[in-house]
Amino acid sequence: MTANPTILEMRSITKEFPGVKALSEVSIEVKAGEIHAICGENGAGKSTLMKVLSGVYPYGTYSGDIIYQGQEMRFKDIRSSEHAGIVIIHQELALIPELSITENIFLGNEPGRGGIIDWQVAKTEAIGLLARVGLSDDPDTQIKNIGVGKQQLVEIAKALNKSVKLLILDEPTAALNEADSQHLLDLIRGLKGKGVSSIMISHKLNEIEAVADSITIIRDGKTIETIDVVANGVNEDRIIQGMVGRVLENRFPEHESTVGEVFFEVRNWTVQHPLTTERLVVKNSSFTVRRGEVVGFAGLMGAGRTELAMSIFGRSYGTYLSGRVFKDGKEIQLRNVSEAIDHGIAYVSEDRKSLGLNLLDDIKRSIVSAKLSKISKGSVVDKVAEHTVAERFRTSLRIKTPTVDEGVNKLSGGNQQKVVLAKWMFTDPDLLILDEPTRGIDVGAKTEIYGIIRDLAAQGKGIIMISSELPELLGVSDRIYTIFEGTITADLPSAEADPETLMKNMTSKRAVSR
Amino acid sequence: MSTTTQQKRSGGLRELGKMFGGGQSSGRQVGILGALVVIVVIFQIATGGLTLDPTNLINLVNQNAYVLILAIGMVMVIIAGHIDLSVGSVAAFTGIIVATSMNSWNLPWPLAILLGLVIGALIGAWQGWWVAYVGVPAFIVTLAGMLIFRGGNQFIGNSATVPVPDAFTIIGGGFLPDFGPDIGYSNPTLLLGLAVAVVIVIQEIRVRRTQTRMGSEKAPLWVSIVKIVILLGIVVYATLLFAGGRIGTSFPVSGIILGVLVLVYSFVTRNTTFGRHIYAVGGNWHAAELSGVKTKRINFFVMMNMSVLASLAGMIAVARSVASGPGDGVGWELDAIAAVFIGGAAVSGGIGTIVGSIVGGLVIAVLNNGLQLLGVGVDRVQIIKGLVLLLAVGIDVYSKRQGRPTLRGLLRRNRKNPSPGDQNAVPIERPSVAPTGSAEETSRSQSTTPN
Ligand SMILES: Nc1ncnc2c1ncn2[C@@H]1O[C@H](COP(=O)(O)OP(=O)(O)OP(=O)(O)O)[C@@H](O)[C@H]1O
Ligand SMILES: [Mg+2]
């Protein structure tokens, strides 16, 4: 292999926020035509580094140099970095759901003359761009009508339209299922062949192992090392060691299950799509949870797992048609969220930004927000208690922040997730429903969260864990239900399950007989 | 990534900032308070001392108490992500009924006030129902209300003016009865000032005690002392000014009503579950719903509360002008909304404070008053007010979008530590400068309306 020229060099980047030094003297070098992965724990500074690179934090708000294609760059905003061919795709997609694929791809960049858009040209070009990312959808389809996986690809098509030379992907596969992730990774590999370099941030180390040509590891805002994968190879343990500074013994906690009797039961649950009345999202589903049991819900993206959970949690999704819920042998009514909370049910959403948190709020207020009554006298909030509670969770969940008075918008993604978890642990639920609880969370913190889940189970609580990561389901659950198109297709003790069996049941219509 | 020394150094000032409401928006409020001081000083000089003259100050309070009362309700509406355009009409509608009730039906004035508040509650329930339970955007509901209640006022009053009895006027233009020895100052005002001073000291001691109990690092003692000294200084100065007016005058009754309301509502928004829920609904309606907040109920009560306060404001205005007329309250909604936004509230909801809005309202009030004293015509006053509103909010928005410190923030920050990239008020994860940036703002404000 010929020595590739360097396309990007970031030299001793230092970036401070009030009270926090997010990056200190971080350097990174990306060669032309490579896939460069950035790994690090939550809050290590990965996203911040990429925001510096893409002009979100403009020149002058950080110190250090950005050398790109041999020139020093001083980006003043995202536009100027895009102009240079650096395009960032944030983890939260920036597409407009109501607009069509074409309109989204060309948003802010519309072809035409004198402000009059030439839709014919736009559409033809859109078809070409879509083909390059392996999509054959009608470019007139509204974004909200295609899945997240495809949306991610549209983002890339949009980047291609801006003649991207360096593509930055911040946790691109966090919300994708196996197949979509695979497709996306193949695409990035393909782009590499066409001369587009990529920087990719991900907590899914297996993906990094599979696609990265080199890996830079960041810990506590400092560069720890760069691993040349092409020359030396790499494995997950090696990356983890760099990230956490030690060898991680067990990724899944050793546990002895102390499963008690059934205390929560759902019978014949059927839910309609909120808009399309003829569509059933959950069909006649029944399941049970025992005390001290972690129950996994496996299914493909869109199988109806989230919909099932949310519709039980106070009918917060879709239209309830039929079904009954029993707790401790008695039928209970869960007509709205506060009834659900009062019955000791908690639901940690998969979408922390839009459903889990008020990003304008601070950490302590977020943590207590689902059960204010617990720290209030009459209806006056006891701020001392609030602070004490928040501090307790900050320590026990190791939320990385200078103080609990900090706004949650200033936390890194993983730490926000911990705040959401704290918020629901604070309600002291009997049944905790976790929807993709480790999305966007680093390996170390994942292990911590698995530990917390098992601890809660050991205290006799019931846990439902929805996850798209089969190893984690198998490693943490006692029992796993598989769901396919709104129907529960299997109920397997995890000791007897393996990824193949799960996959088979997640993709087949055969209903469970039990 | 530990707490750096910066944190500690700025801690004191941050604590001082908390005087004005705390939370994420305190910085902006310190800024706007600074702006108020600057404006007062400028006018004081320009008018040759007329601005801070006792008679003028008393006038200022009397003239603006009702708009400030509206601002209290309005900021809560705006925090929850709505708007209320009907307040002026509601005020006028209540005003005419209350005036008629005393004038034609000989209702005693305390009962008439009660009646006014009940009418406000009914109107509020009506509008709140449409907003919260039917899901019509507040903009539309209150635009309709603006027409309905303006028409109602003119229908009931036959488009004529209805006078009110003397006893009633105390809530608008009245003063505290004087007592005790004549020392050249109004004794009740002095007492009031003393009471306020005592409350300030006690409050500060309580805050420090709370901090100790929390075990959090306390603000250094000097901060508390500086804070108390500044506040007491202001109180003493203001007390002497207000007490030194013409014989028979004192701090106005309408000002006292306003003061009590500010205290009560500040407490409600900051320390009660209801207050928390308002912020939660405005900040992220969906997340609030999923946290068990009864969002509809919150929206209902916020709208209802606004109409009650609008009715109160209407009665105070009627009492001040000794009559209720068809043109009462025209344009009040705009003054109240301007006060709230100058005071640092976010158009998209979720951010804002009572105290900030009051300061914002005072900025407008002092501007109005000072320009009048200088003999500037109403036409130009309007132009200036419009520009001030645009400037104040423009600076905020600009600083947010570019990730640059605000002008007001700059003034503040240069004194402590220059940290150019401070993005205080922006949710960091959004691609803030992407071409879709402006669409975000609008879409968020829509999403706060229930469906
Ligand atoms: N606007 C901000 N204000 C204050 N602190 C911030 C801000 N943005 C980020 N930080 C802090 O900077 C540090 C790095 O955050 P960053 O988002 O870069 O982490 P990350 O490596 O991307 O983590 P994750 O894997 O969880 O996404 C964190 O401690 C975070 O709290
Ligand atoms: Mg990140």
Side-chain angles (χ1 to χ4, degrees), chain B residues 139-151:
Chain B
F139 186 93
I140 305 295
V141 171
T142 59
L143 187 61
M146 189 175 178
L147 295 168
I148 295 171
F149 299 110
R150 173 64 54 200

Side-chain angles (χ1 to χ4, degrees), chain A residues 15-22 43 51 57 60-61 77 90 92 94 96 107 220-221 310 313 316 337-338 341 353-355 357-358 360-361 365 370 372 376 379-381 383-384 386-387 402 407 409-411 423-424, chain B residues 1-4 6-7 14 24 210 213-214 216 267 270-273 276-277 279-280 283-284 286-287 289-292 294 349-351 402 419-424 426-429 431-436 439 444:
Chain A
K15 167 86 189 156
E16 289 187 28
F17 297 108
V20 183
K21 198 168 199 174
K51 285 180 186 167
Y57 299 135
T61 62
D77 53 21
H90 293 269
E92 288 73 28
I96 299 183
L107 191 67
D220 283 343
M310 284 182 73
F313 186 63
S316 36
V337 174
S338 48
I341 294 176
K353 301 255 159 150
S354 55
L355 303 182
L357 289 172
N358 172 5
L360 301 174
D361 222 341
R365 289 161 56 120
L372 269 179
S376 309
S379 65
V380 177
V381 179
K383 293 195 172 173
V384 177
E386 171 179 86
H387 192 267
N409 60 351
K410 292 183 183 161
L411 293 179
K423 166 175 164 181
W424 290 105
Chain B
M1 214 159 327
S2 56
T3 323
T4 62
Q6 266 187 22
Q7 174 82 20
R14 226 188 240 194
Q24 293 197 32
T210 309
R213 277 207 291 149
M214 279 186 198
S216 65
F267 183 82
R270 289 166 65 175
N271 293 317
T272 67
T273 49
R276 286 291 171 90
H277 288 169
Y279 284 94
N284 184 343
H286 216 136
E289 185 102 309
L290 280 179
S291 306
K294 304 222 161 84
I351 296 177
Q402 303 288 318
S419 56
D422 181 10
Q423 286 215 330
N424 254 328
V426 207
I428 50 158
E429 292 283 336
S432 53
V433 216
T436 54
R444 250 200 22 82

Side-chain angles (χ1 to χ4, degrees), chain B residues 4-25:
Chain B
T4 62
T5 44
Q6 266 187 22
Q7 174 82 20
K8 294 242 162 62
R9 248 187 291 144
S10 63
L13 279 154
R14 226 188 240 194
E15 287 301 318
L16 273 181
K18 282 189 187 156
M19 284 204 287
F20 313 104
Q24 293 197 32
S25 48

Side-chain angles (χ1 to χ4, degrees), chain A residues 447-459:
Chain A
T447 308
E448 281 175 31
I449 288 183
Y450 300 146
I452 294 166
I453 294 175
R454 288 308 327 183
D455 280 351
L456 291 171
Q459 292 163 27

Side-chain angles (χ1 to χ4, degrees), chain A residues 298-341:
Chain A
L300 298 177
M301 200 79 34
R305 298 165 301 169
T306 296
E307 291 77 1
L308 172 60
M310 284 182 73
S311 60
I312 291 170
F313 186 63
R315 300 187 189 168
S316 36
Y317 173 88
T319 316
Y320 164 87
L321 285 189
S322 61
R324 300 161 74 185
V325 182
F326 297 85
K327 196 182 159 210
D328 298 320
K330 277 190 293 257
E331 180 161 13
I332 54 172
Q333 297 295 331
L334 305 170
R335 283 161 303 215
N336 55 47
V337 174
S338 48
E339 275 184 352
I341 294 176

Side-chain angles (χ1 to χ4, degrees), chain A residues 278-297:
Chain A
E278 58 284 4
R279 219 175 111 202
L280 297 182
V281 197
V282 179
K283 295 168 203 153
N284 202 18
S285 297
S286 305
F287 64 90
T288 57
V289 182
R290 298 183 175 84
R291 280 191 191 285
E293 186 182 39
V294 179
V295 178
F297 274 41

Side-chain angles (χ1 to χ4, degrees), chain A residues 8-14 26-28 49 52-53 59 62-68 71-74:
Chain A
L8 171 80
E9 201 186 340
M10 297 180 80
R11 277 194 216 134
S12 345
I13 304 287
T14 298
V26 172
S27 298
I28 165 176
L49 186 66
V52 166
L53 174 57
Y59 178 76
Y62 59 87
S63 68
D65 302 318
I66 302 177
I67 316 288
Y68 173 68
Q71 277 180 331
E72 196 199 332
M73 299 308 234
R74 301 177 165 190

Side-chain angles (χ1 to χ4, degrees), chain A residues 46-47 91 170-171 201 412-413, chain B residues 429:
Chain A
K46 306 176 297 290
S47 300
Q91 186 189 332
D170 195 347
E171 303 194 31
I201 297 176
S412 75
Chain B
E429 292 283 336

